Amino acid sequence: QETEMFFESIMREDRNVLELLTADYTFVNERLAWQYGIPNISGSHFRRVSLKGTNRRGLLGQGSILAETSYAHRTSPVVRGKWILENLLGTPPPPPPPGVPPLSEDNPSGKVLTIRERLAAHRKNPVCATCHSMMDPLGFALENFDFVGKWRTTDESSTLLDASGTLPDGTKFNGLDGLRDALVQHPERFATTLTEKMFVYALGRGAEYY
């Protein structure tokens, strides 16, 4: 509901499409406001609120996106990074080759590894590294949000989070604010991707060169 109302407001008010990434407002009811740490919101109806002073702005701070790109029990920088590549940058990674095992939740040494450490081990496989080197660093930017989108400073292993990463073009950033700033530095990427997505939605089929 939040995301639908947010998108509708930008469309109907004819706002800049980059506000999908940067807007400092959203729509919440009491339950969602509690999750976001926004005080003084009562009732089940959604209303527009300011996000100033919070760690959220735009689509990437919304629970719908953050939960959709997580597993049921933990975050997934891989899934989140893939979502950003496909839906914000328009550069989807190729499908994984057959026979590649999933990321292991176990560690033979007995040490509790962070998700960043587990993915680093995963990327040691050259077959995996090609795609994961693009996806993982983007997903790390959202690690301050847990699997249902609540803000946090430590991960599941109680380790202080490192939300730094790198865009495919080599641009470095730190956290959601850094990623968002890096994305809007090249607005044509997002605008082109959004245009294609809306074109596909309107036609009800994929877009081809013709």
Side-chain angles (χ1 to χ4, degrees), residues 1 7 12 19 33 35 38 40 54 58-59 79 88-89 92 99 101 117 130 136 141 148 165 172 176 179 187 190:
Q1 183 73 16
F7 180 84
R12 293 195 182 279
E19 289 196 31
Q35 175 154 318
I38 300 173
N40 305 319
T54 74
L59 288 171
V79 178
L88 303 185
L89 295 174
E117 290 171 330
T130 303
D136 299 358
V148 292
K172 297 180 184 294
L176 174 55
L179 173 59
F190 176 64

Side-chain angles (χ1 to χ4, degrees), residues 83-189:
W83 190 91
I84 292 169
L85 284 173
E86 290 179 339
N87 296 290
L88 303 185
L89 295 174
T91 54
V100 175
L103 181 66
S104 174
E105 299 284 344
D106 302 318
N107 180 39
S109 71
K111 177 188 174 185
V112 178
L113 298 179
T114 66
I115 186 66
R116 185 179 282 267
E117 290 171 330
R118 294 204 301 271
L119 285 171
H122 200 60
R123 287 195 301 275
K124 288 181 180 178
N125 182 339
V127 176
C128 303
T130 303
C131 295
H132 280 269
S133 62
M134 295 189 297
M135 296 185 292
D136 299 358
L138 295 172
F140 289 141
L142 304 180
E143 275 295 278
N144 281 121
F145 298 100
D146 71 10
F147 61 95
V148 292
K150 292 184 71 173
W151 180 260
R152 61 181 184 168
T153 55
T154 59
D155 65 9
E156 292 87 350
S157 62
S158 299
T159 302
L160 195 65
L161 282 162
D162 176 5
S164 61
T166 311
L167 285 174
D169 65 5
T171 303
K172 297 180 184 294
F173 58 81
N174 187 43
L176 174 55
D177 288 345
L179 173 59
R180 184 174 53 242
D181 292 345
L183 291 173
V184 299
Q185 289 298 314
H186 301 281
E188 69 283 351
R189 294 178 185 170

